[in-house]
Amino acid sequence: MTTFRCASVAFLFSLLHSVLLARSESFIGINYGQVADNLPPPSATAKLLQSTSIEKVRLYGADPAIIKALANTGIGIVIGTANGDVPALASDPNFARNWINSNVLPYYPSSKIILITVGNEVMTSGDQNLMTQLLPAMQNLQNALNGASLGGMIKVSTVHSMAVLKQSEPPSSGSFDPSFGDLMKGLLGFNKATGSPFAINPYPYFAYRSDHRPETLAFCLFQPNSGRFDSGTNIKYMNMFDAQVDAVRAALNSMGFKEIEIVVAETGWPYKGDSNEVGPSIENAKAYNGNLISHLRSLVGTPLMPGKSVDTYLFALYDEDLKPGPGSERAFGLFKTDLTMTYDVGLSKGAQNTTPAPATPKTPATPSPSPSTNGTWCVPKSVVSNAQLQANLDYACGQGIDCRPVQPGGACFEPNTVASHAAYAMNLFYQNSARNPWNCDFSQTATLTSKNPSYKGCIYPGGRT
């Protein structure tokens, strides 16, 4: 009786954990830009968002129609002030109060406003006057929120580009540009005092654009690669996203601000561009965004911030057809303006515990329904780092295989280790790729075996070659 009760409790706990994970993906957000003349009505967008696992939306302004449309949806809303508003916000507390009175009070709490961003990438704008006014503008908005008794409910911050870092490679050497000096220290002091996040825009796409090597592309797209070793921490990084975010973490830590949380305000990959642009394609965009989402859902975190996912706002909800610049600037949208998907990265609610189909169709194999004694399986080699195994897991699960067995409540979730989960996923990827030997390579970290790795309750698909 005791054994049954323990088993039942364990099962219920595992089931509850699985349900909570599926429902609480608050770390996935999206940017809703409006530099376009063909956007769908806000009400249609609100319905679209509710059909997805996206739980937060970042606006670059404070469009009342959109804020109203998101009322009572439970979707967190980030609103923003324009760079042009910074001087008035900094010099006139009444302007700040009026801004809160106009853009927050009429809608909150029905519309779940969670953060106000003051300007966008001001510190790298080159406008010294604007840079010096940024902190006073944030302080006046915070005071206005405090006066409305909302100071503890809605945070105030600003958004930075990666260019605020003087150094980012290796990640442990991450440091802010010293030319920002006391200005950056003042902003970080504000973040710490108010509990607001440090918002950053990391784009592995731009890193690849300046380094076209295939190995760099794999590193940027969360695909199997040889990794990059950080001698300062003895950590091997397996993807650019983690490396960029950890460089920011190191920079904050080096200035004594270890408690400030990081939010990824923008990251994405364009699905098309001009003929002279390197990197934009449907395949690359789907790989980056799909594998990033899988990485976030794994809750593995980054090497310097393990065990939880950084709040990440994907760029972007729709294309913005009026944006200037190269063609790629108008091709970041995950959804078309007719509300259909540009490509599938597994954001629909029905796909929360599955993965999207691969960009390049693969010949499906028919896995053996039960343990086989005459099959071939793909397993990790004996000495492979957890970082490499996690990269293999992210890659395999991002290619359209069914990774539910290694998610909470799945038959192969226990033992709950990266090594065990990666082994199952790597084998399933191999089996579903026509059992081609080159699909059991994973940057030379995997090998074929005739020994069945299945164990009690967990069956590894396998078959004859």
Side-chain angles (χ1 to χ4, degrees):
M1 185 66 175
T2 302
T3 302
F4 174 77
R5 182 180 300 160
C6 290
S8 298
V9 170
F11 171 76
L12 289 172
F13 179 80
S14 178
L15 181 63
L16 177 61
H17 183 63
S18 179
V19 170
L20 289 175
L21 181 63
R23 290 184 178 177
S24 59
E25 295 190 335
S26 59
F27 42 79
I28 299 178
I30 201 160
N31 285 271
Y32 187 174
Q34 296 177 266
V35 187
D37 60 5
N38 60 347
L39 297 177
S43 58
T45 295
K47 289 181 181 177
L48 170 66
L49 291 170
Q50 287 179 285
S51 72
T52 72
S53 54
I54 296 167
E55 294 205 6
K56 295 177 180 176
V57 174
R58 178 188 170 211
L59 309 179
Y60 291 83
D63 188 319
I66 298 173
I67 298 173
K68 285 179 184 176
L70 293 172
N72 303 311
T73 61
I75 295 172
I77 308 168
V78 178
I79 59 176
T81 76
N83 286 5
D85 288 334
V86 170
L89 288 167
S91 61
D92 186 358
N94 286 326
F95 186 88
R97 279 193 291 271
N98 289 335
W99 198 94
I100 296 297
N101 290 340
S102 299
N103 298 299
V104 176
L105 296 186
Y107 315 111
Y108 186 87
S110 296
S111 295
K112 190 180 173 182
I113 299 170
I114 57 176
L115 177 67
I116 301 171
T117 56
V118 181
N120 189 49
E121 300 187 350
V122 171
M123 293 300 289
T124 49
S125 67
D127 187 332
Q128 192 66 32
N129 187 47
L130 200 64
M131 291 161 61
T132 58
Q133 292 174 318
L134 181 57
L135 178 57
M138 292 166 63
Q139 291 169 330
N140 281 340
L141 268 182
Q142 183 67 54
N143 291 336
L145 284 172
N146 293 344
S149 300
L150 295 177
M153 303 170 190
I154 301 173
K155 303 297 183 181
V156 175
S157 191
T158 190
V159 178
H160 303 282
S161 79
M162 285 294 291
V164 296
L165 297 185
K166 179 71 172 178
Q167 177 129 358
S168 61
E169 292 186 39
S172 63
S173 69
S175 59
F176 291 109
D177 190 325
S179 67
F180 297 138
D182 290 340
L183 291 180
M184 182 60 73
K185 195 169 184 179
L187 292 173
L188 297 178
F190 176 89
N191 291 140
K192 178 180 178 180
T194 62
S196 64
F198 183 86
I200 190 75
N201 294 340
Y203 275 91
Y205 163 67
F206 292 125
Y208 174 64
R209 208 168 64 170
S210 61
D211 178 1
H212 305 159
R213 292 175 299 163
E215 178 73 9
T216 300
L217 181 62
F219 189 66
C220 289
L221 297 181
F222 297 85
Q223 293 175 341
N225 63 91
S226 58
R228 297 185 182 181
F229 184 71
D230 185 337
S231 59
T233 55
N234 290 326
I235 290 170
K236 181 182 276 192
Y237 282 84
M238 303 310 301
N239 68 79
M240 181 67 78
F241 179 84
D242 281 357
Q244 290 185 332
V245 171
D246 271 2
V248 176
R249 179 75 273 160
L252 290 169
N253 292 354
S254 70
M255 291 188 66
F257 293 99
K258 295 182 179 181
E259 57 280 283
I260 294 178
E261 290 198 5
I262 295 171
V263 163
V264 173
E266 282 183 28
T267 191
W269 198 288
Y271 64 87
K272 66 179 180 180
D274 296 331
S275 58
N276 62 342
E277 291 190 86
V278 177
S281 72
I282 284 279
E283 291 77 18
N284 288 349
K286 181 174 181 177
Y288 177 72
N289 287 307
N291 290 337
L292 171 59
I293 290 167
S294 294
H295 185 51
L296 294 172
R297 284 176 174 163
S298 76
L299 301 180
V300 71
T302 72
L304 295 187
M305 295 180 289
K308 73 168 195 171
S309 293
V310 173
D311 283 4
T312 300
Y313 292 78
L314 304 172
F315 189 87
L317 183 56
Y318 303 119
D319 289 344
E320 296 176 83
D321 66 329
L322 299 182
K323 266 194 166 182
S328 59
E329 286 292 317
R330 297 175 290 281
F332 277 87
L334 295 178
F335 292 89
K336 300 176 184 178
T337 53
D338 65 1
L339 307 178
T340 61
M341 291 181 287
T342 307
Y343 49 89
D344 187 5
V345 291
L347 282 174
S348 60
K349 281 187 175 173
Q352 285 186 45
N353 290 319
T354 61
T355 50
T360 304
K362 301 182 184 299
T363 304
T366 305
S368 172
S370 59
S372 169
T373 57
N374 297 300
T376 304
W377 293 266
C378 178
V379 296
K381 291 181 178 178
S382 57
V383 182
V384 181
S385 70
N386 277 347
Q388 178 68 63
L389 289 169
Q390 182 64 52
N392 294 350
L393 174 62
D394 290 341
Y395 174 73
C397 290
Q399 299 305 305
I401 65 172
D402 184 2
C403 285
R404 284 177 293 181
V406 294
Q407 292 179 349
C412 302
F413 179 67
E414 297 292 348
N416 181 17
T417 65
V418 172
S420 178
H421 294 176
Y424 180 89
M426 291 162 66
N427 177 67
L428 187 58
F429 174 77
Y430 163 72
Q431 302 296 340
N432 283 8
S433 301
R435 302 188 185 97
N436 295 312
W438 55 85
N439 292 124
C440 184
D441 179 72
F442 292 92
S443 298
Q444 300 182 357
T445 64
T447 187
L448 293 173
T449 181
S450 59
K451 183 179 179 180
N452 191 340
S454 301
Y455 55 92
K456 185 176 180 180
C458 175
I459 296 174
Y460 277 54
R464 299 175 185 273
T465 56

